Amino acid sequence: KQWYQRRVRAQIINDFDPELLDMKPALYFHLQQQKLIELIRSKNIEEALLFAQTELAPQGEDYPELLAELEKTMSLFAFSDPENCPFGDLLKPSQKHKVAGELNSAVLESQNQQTTTNLHTLLKILLWSQDMLTQNKVSFPKMEDISSGIINNST
């Protein structure tokens, strides 16, 4: 079932933009790395090792800058409880979100769409503006906590 789902996902990406994964080898690697992580998570060690040898190892040879990430992922095999090892963060949902975000950005970029949200851009501008005003010793109402919108008027 997992094999079929991975094939379907890869086909969807290729149907959408056949050159996307060829043009972004790091994205392709991260998608493959996520597949390996899911195999490790499901304790399917034999299939995970075979997948790593046939799919990821050649990418590590072709793109040496990805080798450290491959080694970090492969180190999960060395621990009986990989979720509580030094590289257990790879098994957390945030890793999936990171890869999904990278894929979403690549898809948007390939369609000449904006890869960041307007809110994200506005927050970056707000923080930059506050830094510039602070550096120039200008008094202004500073947003102290962005998540709650708390403003300190004494700045």
Side-chain angles (χ1 to χ4, degrees):
K1 183 179 173 186
Q2 273 186 340
W3 175 86
Y4 176 74
Q5 288 174 337
R6 289 192 304 260
R7 280 278 180 223
V8 168
R9 282 188 291 247
Q11 189 59 47
I12 290 170
I13 293 169
N14 281 326
D15 288 348
F16 179 76
D17 186 345
E19 297 177 359
L20 181 67
L21 296 177
D22 291 335
M23 300 297 292
K24 300 213 174 265
L27 171 61
Y28 181 67
F29 171 83
H30 289 135
L31 290 168
Q32 298 292 74
Q33 177 189 33
Q34 190 60 43
K35 289 179 191 180
L36 176 60
I37 290 167
E38 295 307 319
L39 289 170
I40 293 169
R41 181 193 321 279
S42 66
K43 310 266 190 250
N44 197 339
I45 303 305
E46 243 179 73
E47 188 179 345
L49 283 170
L50 180 62
F51 182 78
Q53 289 171 338
T54 58
E55 300 294 328
L56 286 171
Q59 290 181 50
E61 291 173 9
D62 294 342
Y63 302 97
E65 65 274 13
L66 300 173
L67 200 51
E69 288 184 71
L70 177 57
E71 290 170 351
K72 183 178 174 183
T73 307
M74 295 299 291
S75 71
L76 294 172
F77 287 111
F79 297 92
S80 59
D81 185 11
E83 290 182 4
N84 292 314
C85 78
F87 304 114
D89 59 312
L90 291 172
L91 295 166
K92 293 187 176 166
S94 59
Q95 173 67 23
K96 282 184 189 179
H97 294 183
K98 184 175 119 183
V99 174
E102 185 179 357
L103 176 59
N104 287 340
S105 289
V107 167
L108 289 170
E109 186 179 302
S110 77
Q111 299 297 304
N112 297 319
Q113 298 291 318
Q114 187 175 353
T115 59
T116 59
T117 64
N118 289 338
L119 179 59
H120 182 257
T121 303
L122 285 172
L123 288 174
K124 285 173 68 174
I125 291 170
L126 171 68
L127 293 172
W128 176 83
S129 299
Q130 289 187 158
D131 286 344
M132 299 299 344
L133 290 168
T134 301
Q135 286 176 14
N136 290 310
K137 297 180 176 41
V138 175
S139 179
F140 67 98
K142 183 174 183 177
M143 186 168 294
E144 295 291 333
D145 183 4
I146 292 174
S147 64
S148 65
I150 294 174
I151 295 177
N152 182 349
N153 286 319
S154 63
T155 308

